[in-house]
Amino acid sequence: MAAIPAAEANQSKPVPRRPRLPLKERLTRRGQSSAVLLALVVLLAVMLSPFAIIALNALKSAEDYASNGPLSWPQSLSLDGVIDFWNRVDFTGKLINSIVISLSVAIFSTVLSLLNAFALGIGRIRGALWFLIFFMLANMLPNEAIVYPLYYMAKEVNLYNTQLAVIIIFIVIQSAFGTYFLSSILRAFPKELLDAARVDGCNKLQLLVQVVAPIVRPSLAVFMVFSFIWTWNELYLPLVFLIDNSSQTVPLAVATLYGQHNMDATQVAASALLGVLPCVVFFLLFQRTLTRGITAGSYK
Amino acid sequence: MKSRSSRDGGYAIFMLPGLVAFFVIIAVPFLATIAISFTQWNGVQTPSWVGIQNYTDLLSDPFFTASFINTLVLILAMVIIPTILGLLLAGLLYAFVAPRFGTRTASFFRAGFYLPQVMPVAVAGVVWGWILQPDGALNSLLQGVGLGGLANNWLGDPSLALFTVMGTLVWVQVGFPLVIFFTALQRMDQSITEAAALDGASGWQTFIHVTIQQIRPEVFVVVLMTTIASFKVFAWIWVLTRGGPGTATYVPSYYTYLAFFEKSQVGYGSAIATLMTAVIVVVAAIFMNVQARRDLAEEN
């Protein structure tokens, strides 16, 4: 408990290390506490300043930016950059594309992972350990190691340049982690409940749908949120598979327009702001799930 | 088959969709990539077998060497610095901010530092690219506070670009270890830390020798996951520098992308992708082996 405060004391005082004060006394060193808190606040402000500066400039007029530079407060609120970018890339369409892709992937990758995890974690089928190692390897595999054959296959079956191709691939990629994650949870599923269900004459499908799934619903939700956000944030596969402007996702649209010569600085800022905003919304909505989930996901 | 399924209790059937999907989307393309890596292929004509020539070419390819060395350097920015910073920040939030200013304050900081992690990499890349451009916000800020001499072409100067990219990657990464470690500290056994304090260990000593030892599994997971991530960096480079200037920020995944989709050197790109995968698997295997041994040693 006292690890850090005393460490701070050692660092910030030039005098040789003093004997440790009793806990109570240390806790009352208010001035020092405030200094550390202030340092943290400054650090956090620096961390978040990129977003602030982007928002500031997204709401400026191009003339304002040209004459006053990136650091001035907007002289008047201008949504020109935002509106220009919105119309230019049909941002509504991009939002819909991203939602369609991410939501389908989130739902179906959760279903697929649950089916796998049911066989591995509850059924403990033969070779379960090897399957888990396989899914873990699949999870580590870089996209580069599968992308070209997939690109070739997609062209062969006329799925190239379709969102369906991206959806199918992401369902499987996200399921690699999902299977791993849900299996570890289902392995710990209370045995009494399984036995009770069997006594009641449940078949396997009923067991999955009526007993297991409802009980692990919070974990399913955690995975679904992750699957959604990870898919939303991806660039590589959409970049390879979605050639038409009309099928592109939000991050892909923002990234491909960046650096084009006819984009002025306020428009770039506006595009970044529009790219950031949906994620801030997800973050606020799912903050608890996210912070709980990455821990659950990484530690097991 | 019948005896097999009855031994599996009828659960194996639930794996069927998952296995088919993984076979088609992961296993076959991955094996195909390995096979293609032994050929010369432009993606259209029939591939011609060249044995290990692509791999021997790689060894004398300055672009590949540069990309590999850059990856090793990026590990500093994606693994080592964020892990250390994450440990310090998590320790500060847990042992200092939470007890004195409340858990909510600590959670607020944690969420703030984590925010860059939920952004699409491509969009966060645009944010930074915009800030770091020669007439951008960072240089304006430096000039504004009288440090105009420090202004630089951050991403355009070959001797600086990699360091600039590293700085931004630390910004992206730090939230991940922070959140994992913070949660780990919450499950930590308090009595050991208190005992260390009673024995007269300084806060700093306690932190190094007791706290970090206790959350070692999490440190381990974070280092493994971020190391794998640093071998996969693509979007950040694609948005910020396209590997440039020259080869200053070349990374293997960007190189494979160029080989596949711009230079039509599919065999060569496949060799890079296969090598990337091999490195990732070997690194993961070493990590897990070490961890397993440590666990065993602790149990004995």
Side-chain angles (χ1 to χ4, degrees):
Chain A
M1 188 57 100
I4 298 306
E8 282 302 318
N10 291 340
Q11 280 173 346
S12 56
K13 302 277 174 177
V15 292
R17 188 192 290 156
R18 292 173 301 179
R20 282 163 55 84
L21 299 163
L23 185 68
K24 212 173 176 183
E25 212 168 316
R26 270 181 286 144
L27 284 175
T28 53
R29 288 209 243 145
R30 274 276 155 210
Q32 205 181 38
S33 322
S34 315
V36 174
L37 190 71
L38 187 69
L40 274 172
V41 169
V42 171
L43 191 60
L44 183 63
V46 172
M47 283 285 290
L48 299 182
S49 61
F51 299 122
I53 195 90
I54 279 294
L56 193 70
N57 287 281
L59 304 175
K60 261 180 208 175
S61 69
E63 300 76 43
D64 188 359
Y65 181 90
S67 47
N68 297 317
L71 297 180
S72 69
W73 197 254
Q75 291 190 322
S76 63
L77 206 62
S78 158
L79 285 173
D80 290 352
V82 175
I83 294 168
D84 283 354
F85 176 77
W86 191 294
N87 293 332
R88 182 168 168 170
V89 301
D90 176 26
F91 198 72
T92 319
K94 301 293 175 283
L95 278 174
I96 294 172
N97 292 343
S98 273
I99 291 171
V100 166
I101 293 175
S102 307
L103 200 61
S104 332
V105 171
I107 293 168
F108 289 106
S109 66
T110 307
V111 172
L112 195 63
S113 305
L114 180 63
L115 288 173
N116 288 340
F118 183 63
L120 295 172
I122 303 269
R124 307 199 178 195
I125 58 170
R126 281 211 314 183
L129 180 67
W130 290 108
F131 282 123
L132 277 180
I133 292 175
F134 170 75
F135 286 115
M136 208 171 68
L137 282 175
N139 188 37
M140 281 184 222
L141 209 61
N143 285 335
E144 289 79 3
I146 53 172
V147 72
Y148 200 88
L150 286 173
Y151 166 80
Y152 194 84
M153 282 157 66
K155 282 192 160 171
E156 293 288 301
V157 296
N158 286 326
L159 283 178
Y160 180 59
N161 200 12
T162 65
Q163 296 182 356
L164 185 60
V166 176
I167 291 172
I168 292 173
I169 297 168
F170 273 131
I171 288 173
V172 181
I173 289 180
Q174 310 295 26
S175 301
F177 175 77
T179 300
Y180 192 68
F181 172 64
L182 293 176
S183 293
S184 69
I185 286 161
L186 290 191
R187 258 202 310 268
F189 197 85
K191 207 165 176 345
E192 309 79 60
L193 284 174
L194 296 176
D195 292 339
R198 284 191 194 109
V199 170
D200 287 349
C202 259
N203 64 31
K204 302 279 181 308
L205 190 61
Q206 289 168 325
L207 182 68
L208 173 62
V209 174
Q210 293 170 6
V211 181
V212 175
I215 289 179
V216 296
R217 209 172 54 195
S219 303
L220 297 180
V222 167
F223 174 66
M224 204 183 276
V225 167
F226 268 87
S227 183
F228 182 90
I229 292 181
W230 283 339
T231 306
W232 184 286
N233 289 350
E234 270 294 329
L235 177 77
Y236 189 77
L237 293 173
L239 176 68
V240 171
F241 282 90
L242 302 176
I243 300 301
D244 278 350
N245 274 331
S246 61
S247 60
Q248 287 181 346
T249 61
V250 169
L252 183 55
V254 172
T256 43
L257 263 148
Y258 170 65
Q260 289 189 5
H261 298 297
N262 46 359
M263 287 280 282
D264 64 47
T266 49
Q267 243 182 21
V268 174
S271 76
L273 180 67
L274 287 176
V276 162
L277 277 181
C279 300
V280 173
V281 173
F282 302 148
F283 184 59
L284 295 177
L285 280 177
F286 299 122
Q287 212 230 98
R288 285 178 139 232
T289 320
L290 284 169
T291 44
R292 205 162 16 124
I294 48 166
T295 320
S298 67
Y299 183 65
K300 261 296 153 188
Chain B
M1 200 65 212
K2 187 149 192 268
S3 71
R4 169 79 183 269
S5 75
S6 65
R7 198 182 313 165
D8 288 337
Y11 284 98
I13 188 84
F14 289 89
M15 281 281 285
L16 195 62
L19 283 183
V20 171
F22 274 86
F23 186 72
V24 176
I25 304 294
I26 307 274
V28 168
F30 177 50
L31 296 175
T33 298
I34 296 177
I36 296 167
S37 76
F38 296 106
T39 69
Q40 199 165 38
W41 188 31
N42 62 6
V44 183
Q45 287 151 324
T46 316
S48 57
W49 185 265
V50 295
I52 58 163
Q53 195 200 322
N54 287 327
Y55 292 93
T56 48
D57 286 354
L58 273 179
L59 295 179
S60 54
D61 177 350
F63 286 85
F64 178 72
T65 322
S67 70
F68 197 77
I69 293 172
N70 286 341
T71 299
L72 295 182
V73 176
L74 287 185
I75 287 180
L76 190 67
M78 290 189 67
V79 183
I80 299 172
I81 298 174
T83 303
I84 294 172
L85 275 179
L87 273 173
L88 291 174
L89 285 171
L92 260 182
L93 290 184
Y94 174 74
F96 185 84
V97 175
R100 299 188 190 195
F101 301 96
T103 323
R104 301 196 69 156
T105 317
S107 300
F108 171 78
F109 278 111
R110 182 185 62 172
F113 286 117
Y114 188 67
L115 190 64
Q117 279 272 311
V118 289
M119 294 299 143
V121 170
V123 173
V126 172
V127 170
W128 276 106
W130 186 89
I131 289 172
L132 294 167
Q133 62 192 336
D135 57 353
L138 180 59
N139 283 343
S140 303
L141 178 67
L142 288 171
Q143 275 144 12
V145 296
L147 292 169
L150 291 178
N152 267 299
N153 188 357
W154 298 103
L155 293 167
D157 180 341
S159 61
L160 259 181
L162 187 62
F163 296 107
T164 309
V165 168
M166 287 170 74
T168 56
L169 279 171
V170 170
W171 175 84
V172 175
Q173 286 289 94
V174 72
F176 174 65
L178 168 61
V179 169
I180 303 266
F181 295 153
F182 188 80
T183 316
L185 291 174
Q186 288 176 317
R187 68 143 180 87
M188 201 176 66
D189 183 358
Q190 284 310 318
S191 57
I192 302 182
T193 330
E194 278 157 19
L198 282 179
D199 285 348
S202 76
W204 186 244
Q205 285 169 330
T206 316
F207 184 63
I208 297 286
H209 296 292
V210 181
T211 313
I212 294 183
Q213 295 307 316
Q214 279 201 68
I215 62 168
R216 209 172 55 200
E218 282 83 359
V219 175
F220 181 83
V221 167
V222 163
V223 171
L224 174 61
M225 289 180 74
T226 51
T227 306
I228 292 178
S230 28
F231 284 104
K232 293 183 178 175
V233 180
F234 172 80
W236 201 247
I237 296 296
W238 188 79
V239 171
L240 275 182
T241 63
R242 308 266 157 132
T247 57
T249 58
Y250 241 63
V251 288
S253 70
Y254 182 67
Y255 198 7
T256 56
Y257 178 79
L258 287 185
F260 285 149
F261 302 109
E262 288 185 17
K263 296 182 185 166
S264 299
Q265 300 173 332
V266 182
Y268 199 60
S270 298
I272 306 175
T274 306
L275 216 54
M276 275 172 70
T277 312
V279 169
I280 288 174
V281 171
V282 167
V283 167
I286 292 173
F287 265 85
M288 287 177 184
N289 204 354
V290 170
Q291 172 76 341
R293 277 168 197 224
R294 285 203 148 174
D295 284 352
L296 270 181
E298 262 166 32
E299 276 166 30
N300 291 337

